[in-house]
Amino acid sequence: MTVATGVPPFERGRERGRVPEELSARVPAEQRGPGLDRDAVRLLVSRGVEVSHHAFGELPRLLRAGDLLVVNTSPTLAAAVDGRIGHARVVVHFSTRGDDGRWAVELREPDGKGTTRARAGGPAGAEVRLPGSARLTLEEPLSAGGARLWWARVSGPGVSELLLRHGRPIRYSYTERDQPLAVYQTVFSLPAEDGTGSAEMPSAARPFTARTVTELVSRGVRFAPITLHTGVASAEAHEPPYPERFAVPEASARAINAVRAGDGRVIAVGTTAVRAVESAAGPDGVVRARAGWTDLVVTPERGVRVVDGLLTGLHEPEASHLLMLEAVAGRAAVDRGYEEALRGRYLWHEFGDVHLILPEEDPHTVRCVSNCE
């Protein structure tokens, strides 16, 4: 896919300022005080450049009967495993399982604080000793232009068993402590029969509770489940998203198309849901059941064909996810929302606050800019 000339899309985010360190959410909402649940986060709402501030519990009253939420059912894996290369300690982040049985992995160094720091990738042929007599052999970089992620083969116990017995959730340095895997599952997570899942939590859905879902349904809001297994996205390397496995079931495709034919709005819960749904949409905007791999990168130049709104976490200024937000809402709306988030001291990252982007215009207005055919 080509994009318009000018500022390279993955450089535009660098024009924005850094997020203050104290705005990183270090623990989940339910651990910040007695009586709190996952939904005890704040909700920033953008309608164009108009911004309002809410609690997440107000979400059912901010949507309307006939709206449809697209939710990702991918479970989060205990994807971090300790290992050794020679005498050196490493941490292996299992990212994505390939069709040939290999896994895309990232090798990182322990930082002595319970988290990790970046490590040079490779070399080809390097062997990592893993718990339970497993061995991991690096074969080749995932992409010709990068050396962070490598395709690797595991001998010995299967990867699903390895992660179940010896894995833990991937944790980044802005968090305070290790958390059990259950903390990283969303209310929509469903175990995959083949043991696959997401290396990192589809975190936009984390604030949902059974209570929230029940109230939404009672108010006439519908849900369309999809699956997209997201890979690792190290904090030090804001790279274009690479191919990920996804599935849009027939029933969800029909539900999305029915809403678009009526007066409702299609609102994706998370950037993963946007990528999956837009990957299943034809040039006519009709969503068809699809399963496989997607390498789609949603940018303002590409635009969106299906999604009218987006519920998402707050992303670092360099993150490529911001380009997807711009595709949905426009640069001015995204910049305005982030200015208000900083001014309002909203919390960032997977345990942080969330941002609901709703359309100003009629939901069926065509918003593709170019390269939509």
Side-chain angles (χ1 to χ4, degrees):
M1 181 182 65
T2 58
V3 296
T5 57
V7 180
F10 294 102
E11 293 297 321
R12 292 182 196 152
R14 301 181 189 279
E15 301 167 16
R16 298 178 169 101
R18 297 291 303 176
V19 176
E21 187 174 326
E22 65 270 19
L23 295 186
S24 295
R26 302 192 183 281
V27 296
E30 64 271 24
Q31 297 178 16
R32 295 176 198 151
L36 298 181
D37 204 342
R38 287 172 172 237
D39 57 3
V41 297
R42 301 169 68 190
L43 176 65
L44 183 75
V45 178
S46 294
R47 295 178 178 88
V49 295
E50 297 296 321
V51 177
S52 57
H53 303 272
H54 303 267
F56 184 80
E58 298 176 61
L59 178 66
R61 297 189 291 279
L62 293 167
L63 301 180
R64 61 194 187 205
D67 285 345
L68 181 142
L69 294 175
V70 181
V71 296
N72 189 357
T73 64
S74 178
T76 307
L77 301 175
V81 179
D82 292 324
R84 286 185 178 273
I85 297 181
H87 296 293
R89 296 174 57 215
V90 296
V91 177
V92 180
H93 287 177
F94 285 84
S95 179
T96 307
R97 194 193 70 175
D99 292 334
D100 58 1
R102 297 188 298 175
W103 278 77
V105 302
E106 179 188 23
L107 267 56
R108 296 175 65 84
E109 293 180 352
D111 63 1
K113 303 174 184 177
T115 54
T116 61
R117 54 178 170 258
R119 175 190 180 280
E127 183 178 270
V128 182
R129 302 192 308 278
L130 299 173
S133 73
R135 295 289 187 272
L136 179 145
T137 304
L138 300 179
E139 293 191 350
E140 60 182 336
L142 189 66
S143 61
R148 183 173 67 93
L149 291 167
W150 282 67
W151 285 115
R153 291 193 183 276
V154 176
S155 60
V159 172
S160 295
E161 180 183 347
L162 177 71
L163 300 187
L164 182 64
R165 291 177 175 272
H166 304 287
R168 62 184 179 276
I170 290 174
R171 176 188 158 204
Y172 288 118
S173 58
Y174 49 76
T175 58
E176 186 175 289
R177 57 181 176 268
D178 286 344
Q179 298 285 348
L181 183 59
V183 167
Y184 290 88
Q185 305 295 2
T186 75
V187 71
F188 305 111
S189 299
L190 294 173
E193 292 182 2
D194 60 0
T196 54
S198 289
E200 297 182 2
M201 173 177 53
S203 56
R206 191 182 189 280
F208 283 85
T209 63
R211 180 178 59 249
T212 309
V213 173
T214 299
E215 185 176 354
L216 285 163
V217 171
S218 71
R219 289 175 176 268
V221 176
R222 301 175 63 190
F223 290 83
I226 58 86
T227 301
L228 186 138
H229 297 316
T230 184
V232 297
S234 293
E236 300 89 351
H238 297 287
E239 302 162 348
Y242 50 86
E244 293 168 316
R245 192 190 301 271
F246 81 106
V248 176
E250 178 65 39
S252 293
R254 287 199 305 267
I256 293 167
N257 293 331
V259 167
R260 288 183 53 77
D263 297 326
R265 300 170 295 184
V266 176
I267 299 170
V269 178
T271 56
T272 60
V274 176
R275 194 180 200 196
V277 169
E278 293 291 328
S279 298
D284 56 0
V286 175
V287 178
R288 297 170 176 84
R290 281 194 61 193
W293 293 86
T294 177
D295 60 359
L296 176 65
V297 180
V298 179
T299 65
E301 290 76 17
R302 189 270 185 187
V304 289
R305 297 169 178 169
V306 178
V307 173
D308 301 308
L310 172 62
L311 179 70
T312 181
L314 295 166
H315 302 287
E316 289 281 0
E318 301 92 339
S320 60
H321 296 299
L322 288 182
L323 296 180
M324 183 182 288
L325 271 62
E326 290 179 25
V328 175
R331 174 74 186 245
V334 174
D335 282 351
R336 172 66 176 152
Y338 271 68
E339 288 170 5
E340 281 297 304
L342 287 169
R343 185 177 294 112
R345 310 293 289 175
Y346 278 69
L347 295 180
W348 257 249
H349 304 305
E350 65 266 34
F351 298 141
D353 299 314
V354 285
H355 185 193
L356 176 62
I357 298 172
L358 294 173
E360 287 184 290
E361 72 282 358
D362 181 273
H364 297 149
T365 300
V366 177
R367 298 210 306 279
C368 269
V369 179
S370 64
N371 296 333
C372 299
E373 62 279 351

